[in-house]
Amino acid sequence: MAHAVVGGLVGVVWLVGVTLSGGGAVSGGADRPVAGAEAQGDEEGSWVVDFVMPGAAVVAAGVLAGYGFVRRRRRARGRTTPGGAPVQAAEPPVGELDERARTALVAADDWVRVSGEELGFVAGRFGVGDAEHVEPFAGVLRDAEAELAVAFRMRWQYEGGVPQEAAARRHALAGIVGRCEEAGRLLDARAAAFDQVRGLEEGLGGGLGHGLAVAEARFRELTGRAAIAAAVLRACAERYGPAATAGVAGHVEQAKDRLVFATTHLNHARQCADSGDNGGAATHLRAAEGAIAQATAFVGGVERLAADLATAAEMVPAALTGGEAEIAGARVGVATSAVAASELYDDVPPGELRARVVHADLVLAGVREELTSGRPYDPLDVLRRIVRGVAPVAAGRAWVIPAAALVCARGAVADADDVVATHRAAVGGEARTRLAEARRLLAPPVPGPTGRGPRAELADLVTADALAQQAGELAEQDIRVYGHPSEGPAADIDGLAGAIVGGVLLDGAAAAFGGPHSRLRRGGPAGT
């Protein structure tokens, strides 16, 4: 462009110069100028001065103005900050960033869950502590879980209004997405090596044969456990009442549904392997393994509930006694020294502490009335009511109260986790975020002085229990909204609908160890 402008200016100057130099005498003969030539030259020179020079100036000014405009346009497109970084385009709306973070959390949670399930089958072949074939992948799975845990923690704080500044909140959402992407990257980085360890492409004489043997053994074991779980469920409902087993009422049937799906795909895997289609066999085997893992969760949920109900029934009398001791101690503390009581109960005003004592008394009175009614009762629910009623006045006088809180919280977290694990395609980020926070609060405290007393630890257990129950309720809502993935009376053939809701199949292919890029190696459809 600069060359064009300079060329234009030179051309204008040359034109002016030629015009001025050509303004002299025009020969009319050999010796004499034509009459009036001198006057004519003066008129031509005047014309040049009056018209050509101003025109040239206008042309030059126009060319320079055009060049300046073009340069400004180019600078505007590539403008940089004083530090040299390009000015970024308009940022996406906060709502879009928020949705992106929710989606990333759900996806990363699924990657971690699926990877853990498939690693469990590898451990079934080589042994849980195998240093060569299991531990390298268990380590990367722990790293991915750590990244995901931080992302969920950031999400929980974000929903609680932390941070408050708009720019910082946008940065928090970006951080959540980044942590989730890092979890996926860690898993993807080891996916190829994981496939080599499994050796599913080696056929029946290699890893595929071993994988089928492990899956079929688990299938047979689980079939027997499912039959026993059905009997256990009926016994618990008769002893403790239908309300006590309502949360797992459909678990046995859903376990059988997943086992039907597993049967179909184990057979398909055998057929593919016999015909030399090792890739197809691997796809069907992974589908069967996913269904077996979810059936295990359903059956395990029934078995765990039966054990927790029995434990809670044994703890209820001791919890009542311990709760009465805590209430009595709080009442005496308020009556003798309001200042000391306020310090012991985290600066709770004496009036508030008295109200808490009254409420705890009412809760225990209601529990005693239910226990003496002679009707079946839910011991977990009773134990939970005791803990929640007494916790506000507890000061570490009775060991049984935190022990009871731990039983309740562990059961609630495990129950909610089973719902998410067996309905991955339906459950959204809200339920998973609350479950992750409940799991964090339930984790054992870090060794060493933390400055947290027994009241704070008990409060964490109570909060974990409440959050886990919320997570389970939100997950159930998501499942109802998701509905049935297939339509028509013959749509749910061989347990396909349950496998889709459970996330056993993703886009028609079996889920596998790895992150977002793992689906590139899943092979063909496994839905039929």
Side-chain angles (χ1 to χ4, degrees):
M1 184 68 187
H3 293 165
V5 172
V6 173
L9 291 175
V10 171
V12 171
V13 173
W14 176 82
L15 176 61
V16 173
V18 169
T19 304
L20 290 176
S21 62
V26 178
S27 177
D31 297 328
R32 292 185 300 116
V34 176
E38 183 177 354
Q40 184 180 356
D42 291 339
E43 291 175 2
E44 291 177 354
S46 175
W47 178 84
V48 169
V49 173
D50 292 341
F51 297 101
V52 175
M53 291 296 289
V58 171
V59 172
V63 172
L64 290 173
Y67 175 60
F69 174 76
V70 172
R71 289 198 63 185
R72 285 194 300 274
R73 287 286 300 274
R74 289 179 176 176
R75 282 199 302 268
R77 292 194 191 101
R79 186 174 299 162
T80 58
T81 62
V87 174
Q88 306 207 353
E91 295 180 333
V94 175
E96 182 180 331
L97 288 175
D98 183 61
E99 184 59 29
R100 193 181 302 171
R102 291 173 184 268
T103 302
L105 281 169
V106 171
D109 193 38
D110 285 348
W111 301 332
V112 168
R113 289 178 181 276
V114 170
S115 298
E117 288 176 0
E118 189 171 5
L119 182 60
F121 284 91
V122 174
R125 173 186 174 186
F126 295 104
V128 175
D130 186 272
E132 180 182 358
H133 302 97
V134 176
E135 273 306 308
F137 305 104
V140 75
L141 182 60
R142 287 191 293 268
D143 292 341
E145 289 172 340
E147 293 288 343
L148 180 60
V150 173
F152 271 124
R153 178 62 176 159
M154 293 172 66
R155 179 69 199 188
W156 177 249
Q157 292 175 328
Y158 180 89
E159 292 182 359
V162 179
Q164 296 181 348
E165 299 79 8
R169 289 178 69 78
R170 295 179 69 92
H171 183 72
L173 291 174
I176 292 170
V177 174
R179 291 282 186 173
C180 293
E181 290 176 346
E182 177 61 13
R185 188 197 65 78
L186 289 169
L187 294 172
D188 275 333
R190 298 293 292 168
F194 185 83
D195 284 348
Q196 291 180 353
V197 167
R198 292 219 69 181
L200 298 184
E201 299 293 335
E202 298 172 1
L204 292 175
L208 181 60
H210 290 292
L212 281 167
V214 171
E216 288 167 348
R218 289 196 179 183
F219 174 87
R220 290 189 294 270
E221 175 197 3
L222 198 56
T223 301
R225 285 174 58 192
I228 296 173
V232 169
L233 188 60
R234 288 192 297 270
C236 288
E238 291 174 1
R239 179 177 181 182
Y240 303 114
T245 59
V248 298
H251 275 32
V252 173
E253 292 305 316
Q254 292 189 72
K256 293 178 180 178
D257 183 72
R258 297 297 194 277
L259 290 176
V260 169
F261 181 87
T263 299
T264 300
H265 287 275
L266 285 173
N267 291 335
H268 286 334
R270 283 285 180 187
Q271 292 169 3
C272 288
D274 290 339
S275 65
D277 181 10
N278 294 335
T283 299
H284 286 293
L285 174 59
R286 282 193 167 107
E289 289 173 342
I292 291 170
Q294 293 193 4
T296 302
F298 283 125
V299 173
V302 174
E303 295 170 343
R304 183 182 60 251
L305 176 64
D308 286 348
L309 287 171
T311 300
E314 293 178 358
M315 293 185 72
V316 165
L320 270 174
T321 303
E324 291 167 350
E326 291 285 8
I327 293 172
R331 186 180 288 115
V332 170
V334 172
T336 56
S337 176
V339 174
S342 178
E343 293 177 353
L344 180 62
Y345 292 98
D346 304 323
D347 298 327
V348 175
E352 171 66 20
L353 187 55
R354 291 190 190 95
R356 293 182 180 183
V357 169
V358 171
H359 174 71
D361 259 335
L362 291 174
V363 170
L364 295 193
V367 168
R368 292 191 201 94
E369 182 179 354
E370 184 172 354
L371 296 182
T372 57
S373 67
R375 296 187 300 271
Y377 68 90
D378 180 355
L380 270 175
D381 178 66
V382 167
L383 198 65
R384 182 172 283 115
R385 284 158 54 194
I386 294 173
V387 168
R388 293 184 180 181
V390 173
V393 300
R397 299 180 184 90
W399 63 268
V400 69
I401 298 302
L406 183 61
V407 170
C408 295
R410 279 181 176 170
V413 168
D415 290 344
D417 191 73
D418 284 348
V419 175
V420 176
T422 54
H423 300 83
R424 290 194 299 260
V427 179
E430 193 173 358
R432 298 179 194 231
T433 299
R434 278 157 179 72
L435 175 58
E437 181 64 13
R439 191 184 293 115
R440 186 190 70 84
L441 293 172
L442 189 59
V446 179
T450 60
R452 295 175 57 79
R455 278 183 52 77
E457 294 178 1
L458 177 59
D460 283 350
L461 292 175
V462 173
T463 303
D465 181 35
L467 285 174
Q469 287 195 307
Q470 292 176 19
E473 293 168 359
L474 289 169
E476 293 290 354
Q477 291 177 16
D478 289 340
I479 295 166
R480 288 193 293 271
V481 171
Y482 186 86
H484 201 280
S486 303
E487 297 180 356
D492 188 16
I493 299 174
D494 297 333
L496 178 59
I500 293 174
V501 175
V504 174
L505 299 179
L506 299 177
D507 299 330
F513 184 100
H517 301 296
S518 64
R519 66 178 55 194
L520 299 177
R521 60 185 176 84
R522 286 178 184 144
T528 57

